[in-house]
Amino acid sequence: MKKLFVSLVSIAIIASTLALSSCGIVQKHVQTEEEKTAYSLNAAVSDFVKSDDFKQAVINANSTQARLPISYLHYVRGKVFDQAVRESFETVLDYIRRLLDENDKIDDSLFDADPILGEKNDWGYVRWQSTLDYLFTFSIVYDQYKQSMNDAFTKYDKYLPVIKDYLTELDASVSEDPYAYIGTAWGFQFWNVLPMTAYNLGYENATPVSDAKMLSYYEKDGETFTVSAEQPNWNGFSGRPLASTLYINSDKYSVKYEKTMQGYYPKAELAYDDWSPSVEKLVTLDELYDNYDVFIGEWNTYDPQFAILTALAHGLDVRSYKTESGETKDILSLWLEDITVEGEYKITTLNDMAVALSYSAFVEGVKNPTPLGLYSTDLAVIKLDK
């Protein structure tokens, strides 16, 4: 009798399921709110990457800072870059030849003498600040080029050993006091550019001195952090918090430092001569929700997207961000409001594209989505097509 009852119940369930299926009601998977948001964001990104605006934005990205948001596309499955974009990658990567001496070694003196690499205007360098700054861009574009070639070996692989030699030699100078100035993008220092460049190119243990320098930020006197973060970049990534994502698995790493000690942009307009404000004057991740929109003057614009991107890169859930004081904030909602047009999400910039892809990757299970690292098909967890 029991078996008959179970059989009848099973038949009833199957019948009801078939009936609902015929009405289009039954779904394979009931989406969470996070998954629904990610799906809608992916649709918006899909429209953007098919546009001429996207293509031109990628081709015109001439600096290290401008290249980083593009790297979030390494989480996307399928073809993203067309032939024209791939050729623009090759143009940037080919510049490496301009830095090689007769022995095929990198020679710093060739940078300033070069009309493209060392080009200057009244404001300073046009594209890159030093050989290292260019090599950081090389490592980023190398990742993007590998994706455009579908993870194949590339003709630029032959330069990897000589770049590694250069990075290792330069890393040793980090321990020198005082060490020589090496130009980097605004908000970066060469001891955080070195490990990121090495990581992007797949080198292991190539920058031990820089690694130690980066971990020193987490030093404490009791419960007080003793090392302050440097001047952030208000319009892009800052080097220290981005590079520190490489050390999340270290025993010395502190997420509290990342939440409270790193500033992103001023809370209010600064005095004219206050270009190196202390963290008390800056918006940290813990303060981002309450200071997402601030007025910092006509010349002092800011891009809060990079604070969101950095939080995600440290594995922090920006939809349910927990502050050190125990409050929970939905930081992402503030950004979502900014990209909502007539009830739908619209992506029109590389910065917003990066946030959308970073959050979608996080929802797909990537613990700390980042623009860093070598492209691999294993990373491609996002399907853009509607």
Side-chain angles (χ1 to χ4, degrees), residues 44-77:
V45 172
S46 181
D47 287 338
F48 178 54
V49 299
K50 293 173 184 175
S51 69
D52 286 337
D53 288 343
F54 165 76
K55 177 179 175 179
Q56 288 306 312
V58 175
I59 290 175
N60 294 334
N62 288 324
S63 68
T64 300
Q65 285 282 13
R67 289 284 175 183
L68 280 165
I70 303 170
S71 284
Y72 281 93
L73 286 163
H74 61 200
Y75 291 113
V76 172
R77 278 182 249 163

PDB file of all heavy atoms in Angstrom, residues 44-77:
ATOM      1  N   ALA A  44      23.671  44.273 -20.626  1.00  0.00           N
ATOM      2  CA  ALA A  44      24.101  45.646 -20.902  1.00  0.00           C
ATOM      3  C   ALA A  44      25.530  45.675 -21.443  1.00  0.00           C
ATOM      4  O   ALA A  44      25.840  46.436 -22.375  1.00  0.00           O
ATOM      5  CB  ALA A  44      23.998  46.485 -19.626  1.00  0.00           C
ATOM      6  N   VAL A  45      26.408  44.854 -20.874  1.00  0.00           N
ATOM      7  CA  VAL A  45      27.784  44.771 -21.364  1.00  0.00           C
ATOM      8  C   VAL A  45      27.814  44.216 -22.776  1.00  0.00           C
ATOM      9  O   VAL A  45      28.590  44.667 -23.631  1.00  0.00           O
ATOM     10  CB  VAL A  45      28.653  43.902 -20.429  1.00  0.00           C
ATOM     11  CG1 VAL A  45      30.035  43.664 -21.044  1.00  0.00           C
ATOM     12  CG2 VAL A  45      28.802  44.564 -19.069  1.00  0.00           C
ATOM     13  N   SER A  46      26.948  43.239 -23.050  1.00  0.00           N
ATOM     14  CA  SER A  46      26.879  42.645 -24.388  1.00  0.00           C
ATOM     15  C   SER A  46      26.576  43.706 -25.435  1.00  0.00           C
ATOM     16  O   SER A  46      27.189  43.731 -26.512  1.00  0.00           O
ATOM     17  CB  SER A  46      25.806  41.549 -24.412  1.00  0.00           C
ATOM     18  OG  SER A  46      25.738  40.948 -25.683  1.00  0.00           O
ATOM     19  N   ASP A  47      25.645  44.594 -25.131  1.00  0.00           N
ATOM     20  CA  ASP A  47      25.332  45.689 -26.059  1.00  0.00           C
ATOM     21  C   ASP A  47      26.536  46.607 -26.243  1.00  0.00           C
ATOM     22  O   ASP A  47      26.845  47.042 -27.360  1.00  0.00           O
ATOM     23  CB  ASP A  47      24.147  46.505 -25.525  1.00  0.00           C
ATOM     24  CG  ASP A  47      22.823  45.766 -25.643  1.00  0.00           C
ATOM     25  OD1 ASP A  47      22.727  44.844 -26.479  1.00  0.00           O
ATOM     26  OD2 ASP A  47      21.887  46.113 -24.896  1.00  0.00           O
ATOM     27  N   PHE A  48      27.224  46.901 -25.146  1.00  0.00           N
ATOM     28  CA  PHE A  48      28.352  47.828 -25.208  1.00  0.00           C
ATOM     29  C   PHE A  48      29.498  47.275 -26.039  1.00  0.00           C
ATOM     30  O   PHE A  48      30.057  47.987 -26.886  1.00  0.00           O
ATOM     31  CB  PHE A  48      28.827  48.154 -23.791  1.00  0.00           C
ATOM     32  CG  PHE A  48      30.019  49.068 -23.735  1.00  0.00           C
ATOM     33  CD1 PHE A  48      30.018  50.297 -24.377  1.00  0.00           C
ATOM     34  CD2 PHE A  48      31.163  48.701 -23.018  1.00  0.00           C
ATOM     35  CE1 PHE A  48      31.130  51.143 -24.320  1.00  0.00           C
ATOM     36  CE2 PHE A  48      32.261  49.532 -22.950  1.00  0.00           C
ATOM     37  CZ  PHE A  48      32.249  50.756 -23.601  1.00  0.00           C
ATOM     38  N   VAL A  49      29.878  46.019 -25.827  1.00  0.00           N
ATOM     39  CA  VAL A  49      31.050  45.474 -26.524  1.00  0.00           C
ATOM     40  C   VAL A  49      30.794  45.280 -28.022  1.00  0.00           C
ATOM     41  O   VAL A  49      31.743  45.083 -28.788  1.00  0.00           O
ATOM     42  CB  VAL A  49      31.536  44.148 -25.898  1.00  0.00           C
ATOM     43  CG1 VAL A  49      31.954  44.352 -24.462  1.00  0.00           C
ATOM     44  CG2 VAL A  49      30.480  43.054 -26.013  1.00  0.00           C
ATOM     45  N   LYS A  50      29.536  45.351 -28.428  1.00  0.00           N
ATOM     46  CA  LYS A  50      29.213  45.262 -29.859  1.00  0.00           C
ATOM     47  C   LYS A  50      29.220  46.634 -30.534  1.00  0.00           C
ATOM     48  O   LYS A  50      29.065  46.730 -31.754  1.00  0.00           O
ATOM     49  CB  LYS A  50      27.835  44.625 -30.042  1.00  0.00           C
ATOM     50  CG  LYS A  50      27.763  43.160 -29.628  1.00  0.00           C
ATOM     51  CD  LYS A  50      26.339  42.645 -29.669  1.00  0.00           C
ATOM     52  CE  LYS A  50      26.259  41.209 -29.159  1.00  0.00           C
ATOM     53  NZ  LYS A  50      24.864  40.714 -29.069  1.00  0.00           N
ATOM     54  N   SER A  51      29.418  47.680 -29.737  1.00  0.00           N
ATOM     55  CA  SER A  51      29.331  49.046 -30.259  1.00  0.00           C
ATOM     56  C   SER A  51      30.665  49.566 -30.763  1.00  0.00           C
ATOM     57  O   SER A  51      31.735  49.093 -30.363  1.00  0.00           O
ATOM     58  CB  SER A  51      28.814  49.987 -29.161  1.00  0.00           C
ATOM     59  OG  SER A  51      29.794  50.148 -28.139  1.00  0.00           O
ATOM     60  N   ASP A  52      30.601  50.576 -31.632  1.00  0.00           N
ATOM     61  CA  ASP A  52      31.814  51.245 -32.097  1.00  0.00           C
ATOM     62  C   ASP A  52      32.480  52.020 -30.963  1.00  0.00           C
ATOM     63  O   ASP A  52      33.706  52.189 -30.950  1.00  0.00           O
ATOM     64  CB  ASP A  52      31.479  52.200 -33.243  1.00  0.00           C
ATOM     65  CG  ASP A  52      31.177  51.467 -34.548  1.00  0.00           C
ATOM     66  OD1 ASP A  52      31.633  50.315 -34.694  1.00  0.00           O
ATOM     67  OD2 ASP A  52      30.474  52.038 -35.397  1.00  0.00           O
ATOM     68  N   ASP A  53      31.674  52.493 -30.007  1.00  0.00           N
ATOM     69  CA  ASP A  53      32.239  53.219 -28.864  1.00  0.00           C
ATOM     70  C   ASP A  53      33.198  52.336 -28.073  1.00  0.00           C
ATOM     71  O   ASP A  53      34.262  52.785 -27.636  1.00  0.00           O
ATOM     72  CB  ASP A  53      31.118  53.710 -27.937  1.00  0.00           C
ATOM     73  CG  ASP A  53      30.328  54.861 -28.528  1.00  0.00           C
ATOM     74  OD1 ASP A  53      30.828  55.488 -29.484  1.00  0.00           O
ATOM     75  OD2 ASP A  53      29.217  55.134 -28.045  1.00  0.00           O
ATOM     76  N   PHE A  54      32.813  51.078 -27.891  1.00  0.00           N
ATOM     77  CA  PHE A  54      33.698  50.145 -27.184  1.00  0.00           C
ATOM     78  C   PHE A  54      34.992  49.937 -27.964  1.00  0.00           C
ATOM     79  O   PHE A  54      36.085  50.021 -27.407  1.00  0.00           O
ATOM     80  CB  PHE A  54      32.990  48.804 -26.988  1.00  0.00           C
ATOM     81  CG  PHE A  54      33.923  47.682 -26.611  1.00  0.00           C
ATOM     82  CD1 PHE A  54      34.429  47.574 -25.326  1.00  0.00           C
ATOM     83  CD2 PHE A  54      34.316  46.735 -27.555  1.00  0.00           C
ATOM     84  CE1 PHE A  54      35.303  46.552 -24.975  1.00  0.00           C
ATOM     85  CE2 PHE A  54      35.182  45.697 -27.214  1.00  0.00           C
ATOM     86  CZ  PHE A  54      35.677  45.613 -25.922  1.00  0.00           C
ATOM     87  N   LYS A  55      34.860  49.674 -29.235  1.00  0.00           N
ATOM     88  CA  LYS A  55      36.035  49.414 -30.072  1.00  0.00           C
ATOM     89  C   LYS A  55      37.009  50.584 -30.030  1.00  0.00           C
ATOM     90  O   LYS A  55      38.221  50.397 -29.849  1.00  0.00           O
ATOM     91  CB  LYS A  55      35.574  49.151 -31.503  1.00  0.00           C
ATOM     92  CG  LYS A  55      36.691  48.926 -32.502  1.00  0.00           C
ATOM     93  CD  LYS A  55      36.116  48.657 -33.883  1.00  0.00           C
ATOM     94  CE  LYS A  55      37.204  48.548 -34.934  1.00  0.00           C
ATOM     95  NZ  LYS A  55      36.638  48.262 -36.281  1.00  0.00           N
ATOM     96  N   GLN A  56      36.488  51.810 -30.155  1.00  0.00           N
ATOM     97  CA  GLN A  56      37.354  52.979 -30.148  1.00  0.00           C
ATOM     98  C   GLN A  56      37.957  53.217 -28.768  1.00  0.00           C
ATOM     99  O   GLN A  56      39.109  53.642 -28.651  1.00  0.00           O
ATOM    100  CB  GLN A  56      36.575  54.219 -30.606  1.00  0.00           C
ATOM    101  CG  GLN A  56      36.262  54.212 -32.090  1.00  0.00           C
ATOM    102  CD  GLN A  56      37.498  54.026 -32.946  1.00  0.00           C
ATOM    103  OE1 GLN A  56      38.522  54.698 -32.754  1.00  0.00           O
ATOM    104  NE2 GLN A  56      37.437  53.103 -33.888  1.00  0.00           N
ATOM    105  N   ALA A  57      37.201  52.936 -27.716  1.00  0.00           N
ATOM    106  CA  ALA A  57      37.720  53.116 -26.359  1.00  0.00           C
ATOM    107  C   ALA A  57      38.899  52.192 -26.112  1.00  0.00           C
ATOM    108  O   ALA A  57      39.885  52.589 -25.478  1.00  0.00           O
ATOM    109  CB  ALA A  57      36.612  52.855 -25.342  1.00  0.00           C
ATOM    110  N   VAL A  58      38.827  50.966 -26.613  1.00  0.00           N
ATOM    111  CA  VAL A  58      39.928  50.014 -26.441  1.00  0.00           C
ATOM    112  C   VAL A  58      41.138  50.447 -27.265  1.00  0.00           C
ATOM    113  O   VAL A  58      42.269  50.457 -26.779  1.00  0.00           O
ATOM    114  CB  VAL A  58      39.488  48.590 -26.833  1.00  0.00           C
ATOM    115  CG1 VAL A  58      40.680  47.630 -26.772  1.00  0.00           C
ATOM    116  CG2 VAL A  58      38.383  48.100 -25.909  1.00  0.00           C
ATOM    117  N   ILE A  59      40.906  50.823 -28.503  1.00  0.00           N
ATOM    118  CA  ILE A  59      42.002  51.231 -29.382  1.00  0.00           C
ATOM    119  C   ILE A  59      42.686  52.494 -28.857  1.00  0.00           C
ATOM    120  O   ILE A  59      43.909  52.644 -28.957  1.00  0.00           O
ATOM    121  CB  ILE A  59      41.483  51.455 -30.813  1.00  0.00           C
ATOM    122  CG1 ILE A  59      41.090  50.114 -31.442  1.00  0.00           C
ATOM    123  CG2 ILE A  59      42.529  52.152 -31.680  1.00  0.00           C
ATOM    124  CD1 ILE A  59      40.449  50.218 -32.814  1.00  0.00           C
ATOM    125  N   ASN A  60      41.914  53.393 -28.254  1.00  0.00           N
ATOM    126  CA  ASN A  60      42.460  54.674 -27.782  1.00  0.00           C
ATOM    127  C   ASN A  60      43.017  54.614 -26.368  1.00  0.00           C
ATOM    128  O   ASN A  60      43.471  55.626 -25.843  1.00  0.00           O
ATOM    129  CB  ASN A  60      41.378  55.750 -27.846  1.00  0.00           C
ATOM    130  CG  ASN A  60      40.945  56.060 -29.261  1.00  0.00           C
ATOM    131  OD1 ASN A  60      41.695  55.866 -30.206  1.00  0.00           O
ATOM    132  ND2 ASN A  60      39.715  56.520 -29.426  1.00  0.00           N
ATOM    133  N   ALA A  61      42.984  53.452 -25.742  1.00  0.00           N
ATOM    134  CA  ALA A  61      43.495  53.321 -24.371  1.00  0.00           C
ATOM    135  C   ALA A  61      45.016  53.275 -24.413  1.00  0.00           C
ATOM    136  O   ALA A  61      45.620  52.222 -24.601  1.00  0.00           O
ATOM    137  CB  ALA A  61      42.930  52.062 -23.721  1.00  0.00           C
ATOM    138  N   ASN A  62      45.642  54.420 -24.204  1.00  0.00           N
ATOM    139  CA  ASN A  62      47.089  54.527 -24.397  1.00  0.00           C
ATOM    140  C   ASN A  62      47.906  54.435 -23.124  1.00  0.00           C
ATOM    141  O   ASN A  62      49.135  54.325 -23.183  1.00  0.00           O
ATOM    142  CB  ASN A  62      47.420  55.856 -25.101  1.00  0.00           C
ATOM    143  CG  ASN A  62      47.004  55.855 -26.557  1.00  0.00           C
ATOM    144  OD1 ASN A  62      47.093  54.835 -27.218  1.00  0.00           O
ATOM    145  ND2 ASN A  62      46.527  56.991 -27.036  1.00  0.00           N
ATOM    146  N   SER A  63      47.275  54.494 -21.971  1.00  0.00           N
ATOM    147  CA  SER A  63      48.034  54.503 -20.723  1.00  0.00           C
ATOM    148  C   SER A  63      47.809  53.216 -19.935  1.00  0.00           C
ATOM    149  O   SER A  63      46.894  52.438 -20.213  1.00  0.00           O
ATOM    150  CB  SER A  63      47.618  55.702 -19.867  1.00  0.00           C
ATOM    151  OG  SER A  63      46.281  55.538 -19.409  1.00  0.00           O
ATOM    152  N   THR A  64      48.632  53.026 -18.923  1.00  0.00           N
ATOM    153  CA  THR A  64      48.475  51.880 -18.036  1.00  0.00           C
ATOM    154  C   THR A  64      47.100  51.889 -17.377  1.00  0.00           C
ATOM    155  O   THR A  64      46.398  50.877 -17.338  1.00  0.00           O
ATOM    156  CB  THR A  64      49.563  51.906 -16.942  1.00  0.00           C
ATOM    157  OG1 THR A  64      50.847  51.841 -17.566  1.00  0.00           O
ATOM    158  CG2 THR A  64      49.410  50.733 -15.991  1.00  0.00           C
ATOM    159  N   GLN A  65      46.700  53.051 -16.850  1.00  0.00           N
ATOM    160  CA  GLN A  65      45.414  53.156 -16.170  1.00  0.00           C
ATOM    161  C   GLN A  65      44.254  52.816 -17.098  1.00  0.00           C
ATOM    162  O   GLN A  65      43.308  52.129 -16.710  1.00  0.00           O
ATOM    163  CB  GLN A  65      45.221  54.579 -15.628  1.00  0.00           C
ATOM    164  CG  GLN A  65      46.031  54.881 -14.392  1.00  0.00           C
ATOM    165  CD  GLN A  65      45.400  54.283 -13.130  1.00  0.00           C
ATOM    166  OE1 GLN A  65      44.506  53.461 -13.197  1.00  0.00           O
ATOM    167  NE2 GLN A  65      45.898  54.687 -11.982  1.00  0.00           N
ATOM    168  N   ALA A  66      44.323  53.298 -18.323  1.00  0.00           N
ATOM    169  CA  ALA A  66      43.226  53.076 -19.256  1.00  0.00           C
ATOM    170  C   ALA A  66      43.092  51.615 -19.662  1.00  0.00           C
ATOM    171  O   ALA A  66      42.003  51.157 -20.027  1.00  0.00           O
ATOM    172  CB  ALA A  66      43.427  53.943 -20.500  1.00  0.00           C
ATOM    173  N   ARG A  67      44.190  50.869 -19.583  1.00  0.00           N
ATOM    174  CA  ARG A  67      44.178  49.462 -20.002  1.00  0.00           C
ATOM    175  C   ARG A  67      43.569  48.524 -18.968  1.00  0.00           C
ATOM    176  O   ARG A  67      43.001  47.480 -19.307  1.00  0.00           O
ATOM    177  CB  ARG A  67      45.610  48.998 -20.288  1.00  0.00           C
ATOM    178  CG  ARG A  67      46.208  49.586 -21.545  1.00  0.00           C
ATOM    179  CD  ARG A  67      45.651  48.928 -22.768  1.00  0.00           C
ATOM    180  NE  ARG A  67      46.128  49.546 -23.999  1.00  0.00           N
ATOM    181  CZ  ARG A  67      45.732  49.189 -25.213  1.00  0.00           C
ATOM    182  NH1 ARG A  67      44.870  48.215 -25.349  1.00  0.00           N
ATOM    183  NH2 ARG A  67      46.203  49.804 -26.277  1.00  0.00           N
ATOM    184  N   LEU A  68      43.688  48.867 -17.687  1.00  0.00           N
ATOM    185  CA  LEU A  68      43.273  47.935 -16.636  1.00  0.00           C
ATOM    186  C   LEU A  68      41.796  47.540 -16.697  1.00  0.00           C
ATOM    187  O   LEU A  68      41.474  46.358 -16.559  1.00  0.00           O
ATOM    188  CB  LEU A  68      43.619  48.513 -15.260  1.00  0.00           C
ATOM    189  CG  LEU A  68      45.081  48.349 -14.857  1.00  0.00           C
ATOM    190  CD1 LEU A  68      45.424  49.237 -13.676  1.00  0.00           C
ATOM    191  CD2 LEU A  68      45.404  46.890 -14.521  1.00  0.00           C
ATOM    192  N   PRO A  69      40.853  48.472 -16.900  1.00  0.00           N
ATOM    193  CA  PRO A  69      39.448  48.047 -16.964  1.00  0.00           C
ATOM    194  C   PRO A  69      39.160  47.050 -18.091  1.00  0.00           C
ATOM    195  O   PRO A  69      38.277  46.193 -17.953  1.00  0.00           O
ATOM    196  CB  PRO A  69      38.689  49.362 -17.196  1.00  0.00           C
ATOM    197  CG  PRO A  69      39.580  50.411 -16.625  1.00  0.00           C
ATOM    198  CD  PRO A  69      40.976  49.949 -16.932  1.00  0.00           C
ATOM    199  N   ILE A  70      39.903  47.145 -19.184  1.00  0.00           N
ATOM    200  CA  ILE A  70      39.687  46.238 -20.314  1.00  0.00           C
ATOM    201  C   ILE A  70      39.964  44.798 -19.920  1.00  0.00           C
ATOM    202  O   ILE A  70      39.341  43.857 -20.427  1.00  0.00           O
ATOM    203  CB  ILE A  70      40.584  46.650 -21.504  1.00  0.00           C
ATOM    204  CG1 ILE A  70      40.310  48.101 -21.904  1.00  0.00           C
ATOM    205  CG2 ILE A  70      40.360  45.725 -22.706  1.00  0.00           C
ATOM    206  CD1 ILE A  70      41.323  48.667 -22.899  1.00  0.00           C
ATOM    207  N   SER A  71      40.902  44.608 -18.982  1.00  0.00           N
ATOM    208  CA  SER A  71      41.309  43.256 -18.597  1.00  0.00           C
ATOM    209  C   SER A  71      40.195  42.441 -17.952  1.00  0.00           C
ATOM    210  O   SER A  71      40.282  41.216 -17.888  1.00  0.00           O
ATOM    211  CB  SER A  71      42.521  43.305 -17.660  1.00  0.00           C
ATOM    212  OG  SER A  71      43.693  43.593 -18.385  1.00  0.00           O
ATOM    213  N   TYR A  72      39.146  43.105 -17.461  1.00  0.00           N
ATOM    214  CA  TYR A  72      38.033  42.348 -16.888  1.00  0.00           C
ATOM    215  C   TYR A  72      37.307  41.499 -17.933  1.00  0.00           C
ATOM    216  O   TYR A  72      36.557  40.585 -17.582  1.00  0.00           O
ATOM    217  CB  TYR A  72      37.049  43.286 -16.192  1.00  0.00           C
ATOM    218  CG  TYR A  72      37.527  43.714 -14.828  1.00  0.00           C
ATOM    219  CD1 TYR A  72      38.244  44.894 -14.670  1.00  0.00           C
ATOM    220  CD2 TYR A  72      37.299  42.934 -13.705  1.00  0.00           C
ATOM    221  CE1 TYR A  72      38.703  45.292 -13.423  1.00  0.00           C
ATOM    222  CE2 TYR A  72      37.756  43.320 -12.455  1.00  0.00           C
ATOM    223  CZ  TYR A  72      38.458  44.491 -12.315  1.00  0.00           C
ATOM    224  OH  TYR A  72      38.924  44.864 -11.073  1.00  0.00           O
ATOM    225  N   LEU A  73      37.571  41.766 -19.181  1.00  0.00           N
ATOM    226  CA  LEU A  73      36.988  40.943 -20.240  1.00  0.00           C
ATOM    227  C   LEU A  73      37.568  39.534 -20.255  1.00  0.00           C
ATOM    228  O   LEU A  73      37.052  38.662 -20.948  1.00  0.00           O
ATOM    229  CB  LEU A  73      37.188  41.614 -21.596  1.00  0.00           C
ATOM    230  CG  LEU A  73      36.274  42.820 -21.841  1.00  0.00           C
ATOM    231  CD1 LEU A  73      36.795  43.675 -22.986  1.00  0.00           C
ATOM    232  CD2 LEU A  73      34.847  42.377 -22.126  1.00  0.00           C
ATOM    233  N   HIS A  74      38.637  39.287 -19.463  1.00  0.00           N
ATOM    234  CA  HIS A  74      39.158  37.923 -19.430  1.00  0.00           C
ATOM    235  C   HIS A  74      38.213  36.967 -18.692  1.00  0.00           C
ATOM    236  O   HIS A  74      38.451  35.765 -18.685  1.00  0.00           O
ATOM    237  CB  HIS A  74      40.588  37.860 -18.890  1.00  0.00           C
ATOM    238  CG  HIS A  74      40.825  38.329 -17.498  1.00  0.00           C
ATOM    239  ND1 HIS A  74      42.075  38.706 -17.053  1.00  0.00           N
ATOM    240  CD2 HIS A  74      40.007  38.493 -16.432  1.00  0.00           C
ATOM    241  CE1 HIS A  74      42.006  39.063 -15.780  1.00  0.00           C
ATOM    242  NE2 HIS A  74      40.763  38.930 -15.387  1.00  0.00           N
ATOM    243  N   TYR A  75      37.148  37.503 -18.124  1.00  0.00           N
ATOM    244  CA  TYR A  75      36.130  36.644 -17.517  1.00  0.00           C
ATOM    245  C   TYR A  75      35.008  36.276 -18.488  1.00  0.00           C
ATOM    246  O   TYR A  75      34.069  35.562 -18.123  1.00  0.00           O
ATOM    247  CB  TYR A  75      35.523  37.327 -16.294  1.00  0.00           C
ATOM    248  CG  TYR A  75      36.487  37.449 -15.138  1.00  0.00           C
ATOM    249  CD1 TYR A  75      36.958  38.691 -14.716  1.00  0.00           C
ATOM    250  CD2 TYR A  75      36.960  36.314 -14.480  1.00  0.00           C
ATOM    251  CE1 TYR A  75      37.864  38.802 -13.664  1.00  0.00           C
ATOM    252  CE2 TYR A  75      37.868  36.410 -13.439  1.00  0.00           C
ATOM    253  CZ  TYR A  75      38.310  37.651 -13.033  1.00  0.00           C
ATOM    254  OH  TYR A  75      39.218  37.749 -12.004  1.00  0.00           O
ATOM    255  N   VAL A  76      35.122  36.752 -19.732  1.00  0.00           N
ATOM    256  CA  VAL A  76      34.058  36.550 -20.722  1.00  0.00           C
ATOM    257  C   VAL A  76      34.391  35.423 -21.684  1.00  0.00           C
ATOM    258  O   VAL A  76      35.511  35.324 -22.184  1.00  0.00           O
ATOM    259  CB  VAL A  76      33.819  37.859 -21.513  1.00  0.00           C
ATOM    260  CG1 VAL A  76      32.855  37.633 -22.669  1.00  0.00           C
ATOM    261  CG2 VAL A  76      33.292  38.937 -20.580  1.00  0.00           C
ATOM    262  N   ARG A  77      33.402  34.591 -21.949  1.00  0.00           N
ATOM    263  CA  ARG A  77      33.555  33.513 -22.921  1.00  0.00           C
ATOM    264  C   ARG A  77      33.369  34.037 -24.341  1.00  0.00           C
ATOM    265  O   ARG A  77      32.572  34.932 -24.572  1.00  0.00           O
ATOM    266  CB  ARG A  77      32.488  32.428 -22.682  1.00  0.00           C
ATOM    267  CG  ARG A  77      32.808  31.438 -21.612  1.00  0.00           C
ATOM    268  CD  ARG A  77      31.702  30.413 -21.527  1.00  0.00           C
ATOM    269  NE  ARG A  77      30.949  30.562 -20.297  1.00  0.00           N
ATOM    270  CZ  ARG A  77      29.763  30.048 -20.086  1.00  0.00           C
ATOM    271  NH1 ARG A  77      29.155  29.367 -21.036  1.00  0.00           N
ATOM    272  NH2 ARG A  77      29.152  30.214 -18.930  1.00  0.00           N
TER     273      ARG A  77
END
